[in-house]
Amino acid sequence: VGSTLKDTPSDKEDLATNFETDRPAASFAEMYKKDKLTGGHVIMLGPGNTEAAKSAMRAYPQGLQVGGGINTGNAKEWLDGGASHVIVTSFVFHNGQIDMDRLTQLVQITGKDRLVLDLSCRRKHDDPTGPYYVVTDRWQTYTDVVVDGKTLELLSQYCDEFLVHGVENEGKRCGILEDLVGLLGDYSPISVTYAGGVKDVSDLDRVKELGKGKVDLTIGSALDCFGGNIPYDDVIEWHKNENS
């Protein structure tokens, strides 16, 4: 559903479903395992997804990261259940700010090396060329946290990796947010994965260039296995060539 996801009933009619399938999550996990892809994201976008996510972890232990409602009460359960990392946004970015107490408590449970902080972000509507702000609650709530060098440096001390969705382009297959990828390549002191807007295989090379070889890329609805037009096998081939 990408960036069209909304919680309010009046906005449900604007929901654009890019892809849906009867194929279970575990089947996709097995596919990633076969192709030796690590770090894939299993995101629970609402209630009713827990068992599907757990089945994916069982199918590919230590190969997938899980996010969606992760907090100090359930993070250990997901890690013990096979997730390589837990992905967290809303629990840490609380009331519009970075809640350092919550973040510290979380790291005590997960360890720095098994925590991914999701800094998915968007610009404010009245400032289309301004800074990117971290957004929470399925990308509907703006925080006061700007994605910049200072923020990346601070938070890098607490996590293994950043995940950054360019929310405005997420799920739209309209091209990546090049300035955001460039910012991440310039300032992130740890591993960072960008997501949002990939439209063809050339975007893989573009992210590599703009991110100075330091930014990874995740592709969802643009892949043919998720209803898009980019052959999954072509991406696998690109990945193998890069890592050979």
Side-chain angles (χ1 to χ4, degrees):
V1 294
S3 60
T4 66
L5 181 64
K6 302 287 190 300
D7 285 336
T8 55
S10 61
D11 291 324
K12 297 293 186 186
E13 61 190 39
D14 296 326
L15 182 70
T17 302
N18 296 317
F19 177 73
E20 55 187 1
T21 181
D22 294 328
R23 184 177 175 183
S27 176
F28 290 102
E30 290 164 356
M31 181 174 72
Y32 296 158
K33 182 179 180 180
K34 175 179 69 71
D35 291 315
K36 298 180 173 61
L37 294 178
T38 58
H41 306 127
V42 179
I43 307 297
M44 298 175 285
L45 288 177
N49 297 310
T50 301
E51 185 49 46
K54 287 183 176 179
S55 71
M57 301 303 122
R58 291 192 295 267
Y60 190 7
Q62 305 307 313
L64 301 168
Q65 304 173 0
V66 66
I70 304 296
N71 55 50
T72 49
N74 60 20
K76 186 177 186 299
E77 177 186 355
W78 284 105
L79 293 174
D80 290 346
S84 68
H85 296 69
V86 288
I87 305 168
V88 179
T89 309
S90 298
F91 180 74
V92 167
F93 295 95
H94 183 59
N95 291 331
Q97 304 291 332
I98 302 170
D99 190 320
M100 296 305 298
D101 287 339
R102 287 188 171 196
L103 178 56
T104 302
Q105 292 167 15
L106 189 62
V107 174
Q108 289 174 348
I109 294 169
T110 65
K112 179 182 186 295
D113 60 340
R114 299 189 72 182
L115 177 63
V116 174
L117 288 179
D118 185 340
L119 306 184
S120 295
C121 56
R122 67 196 317 171
R123 288 183 164 121
K124 294 190 173 178
H125 300 300
D126 59 356
D127 192 7
T129 61
Y132 288 97
Y133 289 86
V134 174
V135 287
T136 63
D137 303 318
R138 291 182 289 282
W139 308 330
Q140 298 168 80
T141 304
Y142 280 93
T143 70
D144 297 326
V145 181
V146 174
V147 177
D148 58 12
K150 182 179 178 181
T151 297
L152 295 171
E153 180 64 37
L154 170 65
L155 294 177
S156 69
Q157 301 170 57
Y158 297 90
C159 64
D160 190 47
E161 180 183 334
F162 295 126
L163 170 62
V164 182
H165 287 84
V167 173
E168 296 305 335
N169 289 16
E170 177 63 32
K172 297 179 180 178
R173 293 181 244 168
C174 59
I176 61 172
L177 289 169
E178 294 195 350
D179 61 333
L180 180 55
V181 174
L183 184 156
L184 298 173
D186 286 340
Y187 295 110
S188 181
I190 60 173
S191 298
V192 56
T193 297
Y194 170 84
V198 174
K199 65 181 187 303
D200 54 46
V201 173
S202 68
D203 280 329
L204 279 75
D205 290 311
R206 190 66 176 144
V207 167
K208 179 182 176 182
E209 176 188 353
L210 292 168
K212 301 176 176 61
K214 299 191 296 182
V215 179
D216 291 325
L217 182 65
T218 188
I219 310 174
S221 59
L223 290 172
D224 57 358
C225 59
F226 295 125
N229 58 0
I230 301 177
Y232 172 82
D233 290 341
D234 287 1
V235 175
I236 296 301
E237 187 66 25
W238 186 95
H239 177 71
K240 286 180 178 178
N241 290 338
E242 288 294 311
N243 290 277
S244 61

